């Protein structure tokens, strides 16, 4: 089973969660070591700018997902 | 009730507020601890570059919301 | 009266000014204290990278405004 | 005469120059003091990351201008 | 054989992998020395902000690839 | 002869090269001194974050070029 079978989601909220998943998967593909990623978590989870940067990535991915779903209109 | 039932808003101003909500929700999903986020607030609320970065995220999300609403053109 | 009644402007120049307004409003919504924002002004107004970052936010918002106005074509 | 009468240009190259103008105008609107901007020039003109950031702003504005001109396709 | 014969992929997951490839190829075109790139890997693979920046590039490229594939709808 | 006669290219790979050219040309327009740019090369070519930033600019320009070419869909 693919981790990304489709960009289509039932609701905007599920689409937002998919945008978060896309953002994290790109990190995981660059640093596949789970422990290494876990070690870095305190660094960004407690740094305002790091969180803002992460939010920007989600925003960019959410735009793609939202457009794929025609913005969940009707 | 979903925190994001729809991308449709009545007015551009409500759409802008939704863009801010999207920007903050992505931060909250990464750092769910309310106290931790509150502790960081003085860091970014008093730093010009941090505020500019935050404004950029809002701009990216506003683009998505605006397009979803066909730019609120009657 | 809303601060953002519409994304439609008569001219490209007015659209650019609206993009600047959107960029600043997102900052104001994050840091509503007028004095705090005034104190930060020398920080970014005299720093080249800060100004470039601000210009990037305007560019992102201008894209939204321009598209809303169909690029002011006839 | 407006500094931005239109987003339409005759050629892609003129469109690129307009994207640079938009990028600089946003800086000028934030820091209107010509001398202050001139003092900062050595800071960014000799810093690789500053130049890359500036190029990113131009890229974002060029996207808007290119779309306004339907990518200059006949 | 071109390293980029097409933007069309069979699945969203292959599209995401192509977005990663595009992101890395731009780096390789700027720094063609394989050893130099390998030396830098620990720098960014163990830095949270570097990984977030890399994820942002992937997100931007994924948007292009997703649109090229009409978001893999039907 | 213009350095940018058209955004149309025969192949995606040529389009990617054009995106790189656009990214570099914006730098050159800001810092026209060839020697100054050459001096900075070691700074960014050996810094992971600088290369990621450069890759982001290419991604933004590639999006414009890809759309201009209708994603090279025959």
């Amino acid at each position: 089973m693919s981790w990304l079978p489709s960009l289509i989601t039932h609701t905007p909220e599920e689409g937002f969660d998919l945008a978060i998943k896309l953002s994290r998967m790109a990190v995981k593909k660059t640093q596949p070591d789970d422990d290494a990623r876990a070690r870095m978590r305190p660094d960004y989870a407690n740094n305002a700018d790091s969180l803002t940067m992460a939010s920007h990535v989600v925003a960019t991915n959410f735009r793609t997902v939202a457009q794929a779903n025609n913005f969940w209109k009707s």
Side-chain angles (χ1 to χ4, degrees), chain A:
Chain A
M1 176 65 173
S2 169
W3 67 268
L4 185 63
S6 168
L7 296 182
I8 305 305
T9 69
H10 288 289
T11 65
E13 186 174 345
E14 288 176 29
F16 197 79
D17 288 339
L18 179 54
I20 293 175
K21 184 180 181 178
L22 290 166
S23 306
R24 291 182 181 168
M25 191 56 73
V27 169
K28 191 171 181 173
K29 295 258 187 180
T30 308
Q31 175 49 279
D33 181 334
D34 290 349
D35 291 341
R37 290 200 315 283
R39 274 195 302 272
M40 281 178 263
R41 194 180 147 72
D43 294 343
Y44 70 83
N46 296 293
N47 182 288
D49 288 350
S50 299
L51 290 167
T52 300
M53 288 167 68
S55 179
H56 207 170
V57 183
V58 173
T60 301
N61 279 315
F62 184 59
R63 207 168 137 49
T64 303
V65 174
Q67 195 171 351
N69 286 277
N70 195 27
F71 306 100
W72 299 277
K73 288 192 280 200
S74 73

